[in-house]
Amino acid sequence: MSNGSRQAQRSEATRRKLVDAGRRLFADRGFAAVGTEELVREAGVTRGALYHQFADKADLLEAIVDEIDGELTQAIAAGAMTDATGPVEALRAGAVAFLEAVTAPDVHRIVLVDALPVLGWERWRAIGLRHGLGLIEAALAGGMEAGAIRRAPTRPLAHVLLGALDEAALYVVAAEDQQTARAEMLEVLDGLLEGLRA
Amino acid sequence: MSNGSRQAQRSEATRRKLVDAGRRLFADRGFAAVGTEELVREAGVTRGALYHQFADKADLLEAIVDEIDGELTQAIAAGAMTDATGPVEALRAGAVAFLEAVTAPDVHRIVLVDALPVLGWERWRAIGLRHGLGLIEAALAGGMEAGAIRRAPTRPLAHVLLGALDEAALYVVAAEDQQTARAEMLEVLDGLLEGLRA
DNA sequence: GCAACTTACGTACAGGCAGTATGTATGTCA
DNA sequence: TGACATACATACTGCCTGTACGTAAGTTGC
């Protein structure tokens, strides 16, 4: 792959425009409700560019989900979870940060609502494994190794925890009073996480 | 509502045909991949009947989800959970039954994958509250009243548990070896539920 | 038991949208 | 600098949902 070539730069620039436009529009009105015509208009390119850069509309969504998930996980891992006193505390800090960040429409609408049926569970899971799911699984494995967390199959446990977090996020976003909803959810999640201790 | 009138019977019959056909086809290939033409052909009616009985395609999906969710919850509540020795045991029995029943494609594909973005979270949640979510919440409230479960906001807790169950179901269905996946998931869920005790 | 009305369904049409085929310009490399 | 590849532009096709309108079956007041 010719790296910094002018063509590669141009490609990358249009990909950026399409991904950015997709994030905005899909987050606002949902994947299905945004036509490719409006999408490329917003991005300042043509449909030809879209279908040159991506196989189809779902492929663009996959790129968007991957980016959002990556940013989110990166921020949580590098931020809240780093200076935790132990594995359980790290997971709790991650949950707090997650519920905080998920208020942004990008995350919940695109990643939690629209992505699953469009990409199918396999592709969706594959993205998660590279990011949030992987982070949780690593934290769990580390905690078990250190004797802080009761031993259990890490992969299924990570799935279950992420499922709980996702539903918690949707609950908070849809709540009329997000403040109390978030507080209640953190209390609940805290209880679950405490139950993980060895 | 004229009850047993011949018209009402006819209406109910075509509704049944449409709902049944939808369950089969949507479960197999997903909501978006099945056109209304094929749907009514399978049901043995015409598009006119479809759009007379339901406002739109999503409205049909809502009826299907409501029916599936109702059947599932009814079966679990009347079956596994009745002869449990306590609230936590009842929840565990419910989880077992749920993971067992969810292997049928109706449930996971339609209810867990397709329904959310089509109906939106509000409508989706409203259905759940009438069935599975309501069942869990009632079990939790009863357990807290009886002192068997640690006190916590029941509604958010029910959401989180159902989210965990849903993700567990998807995990099991997608697994190559469903037997071990289900066993692992039950072990994990059991741990979470044990953590609920007072 | 018939006429006015409603319900249930059939059919043809219109708009929109995803994906493709084909053309063109720009960049790359021997 | 000429052959080739990449990146994009545009026109077109098929599909699919929802709607408008027509018709037949059923129901109710008198």
Side-chain angles (χ1 to χ4, degrees):
Chain A
M1 315 284 183
S2 45
N3 253 340
S5 78
R6 284 159 63 177
Q7 276 201 132
Q9 289 182 12
R10 192 153 68 111
S11 266
E12 183 52 34
T14 59
R15 269 184 85 93
R16 274 253 61 79
K17 289 186 204 166
L18 286 166
V19 167
D20 289 346
R23 283 180 71 150
R24 284 195 299 272
L25 295 176
F26 294 161
D28 261 12
R29 312 209 314 278
F31 177 78
V34 177
T36 53
E37 200 76 55
E38 179 185 5
L39 178 69
V40 297
R41 203 184 320 129
E42 173 86 7
V45 301
T46 65
R47 285 171 42 83
L50 168 61
Y51 280 90
H52 177 75
Q53 296 289 344
F54 299 96
D56 52 18
K57 209 182 156 194
D59 192 36
L60 169 63
L61 179 65
E62 181 165 4
I64 293 175
V65 170
D66 193 67
E67 179 172 291
I68 294 177
D69 217 357
E71 289 177 5
L72 187 61
T73 303
Q74 175 67 23
I76 291 177
M81 287 178 72
T82 41
D83 35 73
T85 60
V88 175
E89 288 74 13
L91 286 172
R92 171 162 45 193
V96 173
F98 180 75
L99 283 191
E100 195 68 35
V102 86
T103 314
D106 298 33
V107 184
H108 84 273
R109 180 89 198 230
I110 298 180
V111 177
L112 301 184
V113 175
D114 281 340
L116 179 52
V118 175
L119 302 181
W121 195 75
E122 303 284 355
R123 283 166 83 185
W124 186 78
R125 172 196 188 186
I127 298 176
L129 275 175
R130 286 201 295 275
H131 304 122
L133 206 48
L135 179 64
I136 295 178
E137 194 176 352
L140 289 173
M144 291 180 198
E145 204 60 40
I149 292 180
R150 180 164 28 84
R151 291 214 171 264
T154 58
R155 177 71 52 97
L157 181 52
H159 270 276
V160 159
L161 289 180
L162 188 56
L165 274 174
D166 289 348
E167 177 67 15
L170 291 173
Y171 177 85
V172 169
V173 169
E176 62 306 335
D177 181 0
Q178 295 203 354
Q179 285 299 106
T180 51
R182 196 178 343 241
E184 286 179 337
M185 268 302 176
L186 285 177
E187 178 187 347
V188 164
L189 291 171
D190 200 32
L192 283 191
L193 293 176
E194 284 302 319
L196 296 181
R197 290 191 190 278
Chain B
M1 318 275 182
S2 45
N3 253 341
S5 78
R6 283 158 62 175
Q7 275 200 132
Q9 289 180 14
R10 193 153 66 112
S11 264
E12 184 52 34
T14 58
R15 269 185 84 93
R16 274 253 59 79
K17 290 185 204 166
L18 287 166
V19 167
D20 288 346
R23 280 180 73 150
R24 284 195 299 273
L25 295 176
F26 294 162
D28 261 13
R29 314 210 312 280
F31 177 79
V34 177
T36 53
E37 200 75 55
E38 180 186 5
L39 178 69
V40 298
R41 204 184 319 130
E42 174 84 9
V45 301
T46 64
R47 284 171 41 84
L50 168 60
Y51 281 92
H52 176 73
Q53 296 288 347
F54 300 95
D56 52 18
K57 208 182 157 192
D59 193 36
L60 169 64
L61 179 65
E62 182 165 4
I64 293 174
V65 169
D66 193 67
E67 178 171 294
I68 294 177
D69 218 357
E71 289 177 6
L72 187 62
T73 304
Q74 175 67 22
I76 291 177
M81 287 177 74
T82 41
D83 36 72
T85 60
V88 174
E89 287 75 14
L91 286 172
R92 171 162 46 193
V96 173
F98 180 75
L99 284 191
E100 195 67 35
V102 85
T103 313
D106 299 33
V107 185
H108 84 273
R109 181 85 198 233
I110 297 179
V111 178
L112 301 183
V113 175
D114 281 340
L116 180 52
V118 175
L119 302 181
W121 196 77
E122 304 284 355
R123 284 166 82 184
W124 186 79
R125 171 196 189 185
I127 299 175
L129 274 175
R130 287 201 294 276
H131 304 123
L133 206 47
L135 180 64
I136 296 178
E137 194 176 353
L140 289 173
M144 292 179 196
E145 205 58 40
I149 293 180
R150 181 164 25 86
R151 291 213 171 266
T154 57
R155 177 69 54 95
L157 180 52
H159 269 276
V160 158
L161 289 180
L162 189 56
L165 274 174
D166 288 348
E167 176 66 17
L170 291 173
Y171 177 85
V172 169
V173 169
E176 62 305 335
D177 181 1
Q178 296 202 355
Q179 286 298 106
T180 51
R182 195 176 348 237
E184 287 180 336
M185 269 302 176
L186 285 178
E187 177 187 347
V188 164
L189 291 171
D190 199 33
L192 283 191
L193 292 176
E194 284 302 319
L196 295 181
R197 292 191 188 277

